[in-house]
Amino acid sequence: MTDRTMDRARRIALLGAPIDMGASQRGTLMGPAALRTAGLATLLESLDFDVVDYGDLSVAEVTDLADRPPVKANHYREIQRWTRVLSRRGYEIAQTGALPIFLGGDHTLSMGSVNAMARHWQERGRELFVVWLDAHADYNTPETTITANMHGMSAAFLCGEPGLDGLLGDDPRASIGPDRLDLFGARSIDKLEKELMRARRIRVVDMRQIDEFGVAVLIRRVIERVKASNGVLHVSFDVDFLDPCVAPGVGTTVPGGATYREAHLIMELLHDSGVVGSVDIVELNPFLDERGRTARTAVELIGSLFGQQISDRPTPSNAIAPGE
């Protein structure tokens, strides 16, 4: 690995996306500010990263497109604006060689962030994989959804499912194959959503499997698939992946989630793998939190993802070579 590669790999870019119309419970627009207040940039800098905070995106000046919104897709036009802006800006930041961390906002953020990263890595001849740390599968479409809330359609969109084909307008859509998505920690999946996932053979690690086999075995399987393809991994971290007793500040709490220690072990193993190239942190709702507890927990977990450890031990570099 060249010195230039090491230099680029030590740079992290923060980008806020204060979106909250994708969910039924409003408040996630305050998520980026809460993560910053909880000390995300300071922690990453303490780990010897050069951190650039690009602030929060705005869609105030974005012109609406003329496509017909799907019947069952709440706030489609607003989310369309966010997706276009996020995809463009995320792609630009990835081109600099920095590792992007997208601060949400609800999980519709990933429609733009994953598209940006998939486009970036496709141009470099490498496949993007996504691990979806979430209580929900988010694999609904306008045809299968019960609620019409678009944060429940984000994983389906990034895998190229039909129904939201006009979301990016004329901008490039860089979908990933369903075989490159791993849903991890799921414990709430709708009936029609489940049928669609079964048809697409989406890999799902539910909480039963985590209880039976443990997170280390299961997350290593994800890592091994990425490495076997010389791929790059995008970590989409929904804080409702955690048990509500650990992270109460979310609008869609589901009992029985990952423990504090399980989540840290996942992040530590992902760091050691050297395959992580970008991250989302989504669905943090400070309005529902307990004195910043969930925000602080999320920041601590990101610390583990980027190399914070209790005792010094040799681990592989987490650098992704930008040109490989």
Side-chain angles (χ1 to χ4, degrees), residues 230-250:
N230 188 33
V232 180
L233 185 65
H234 178 92
V235 178
S236 197
F237 170 42
D238 185 325
V239 293
D240 75 15
F241 167 69
L242 302 167
D243 192 85
C245 70
V246 178
V250 296

Side-chain angles (χ1 to χ4, degrees), residues 25-164:
Q25 177 73 55
R26 308 303 287 266
T28 56
L29 63 82
M30 299 182 286
L35 291 166
R36 291 185 177 102
T37 302
L40 179 59
T42 301
L43 174 59
L44 293 169
E45 288 168 348
S46 75
L47 298 172
D48 296 325
F49 286 96
D50 180 11
V51 180
V52 177
D53 190 340
Y54 287 89
D56 288 350
L57 288 172
S58 171
V59 295
E61 305 300 322
V62 179
T63 304
D64 283 343
L65 300 181
D67 61 317
R68 179 177 295 179
V71 174
K72 295 177 69 177
N74 294 339
H75 304 289
Y76 173 85
R77 198 60 77 195
E78 296 95 327
I79 292 168
Q80 183 179 55
R81 292 198 294 265
W82 278 108
T83 302
R84 291 159 62 204
V85 169
L86 262 165
S87 181
R88 293 170 186 171
R89 192 68 179 117
Y91 174 77
E92 290 170 359
I93 290 172
Q95 296 286 93
T96 72
L99 188 154
I101 300 180
F102 300 91
L103 312 178
D106 67 57
H107 221 153
T108 56
L109 175 154
S110 298
M111 294 178 174
S113 65
V114 174
N115 192 74
M117 299 311 301
R119 180 184 171 198
H120 170 76
W121 288 111
Q122 282 175 14
E123 291 177 356
R124 282 151 184 77
R126 299 181 71 179
E127 293 184 332
L128 184 73
F129 292 72
V130 176
V131 62
W132 201 261
L133 303 175
D134 198 327
H136 308 86
D138 295 340
Y139 210 86
N140 274 299
T141 70
E143 289 296 317
T144 67
T145 182
I146 297 171
T147 65
N149 292 328
M150 288 184 65
H151 72 159
M153 307 180 195
S154 41
F157 174 80
L158 64 90
C159 286
E161 294 291 347
L164 296 172

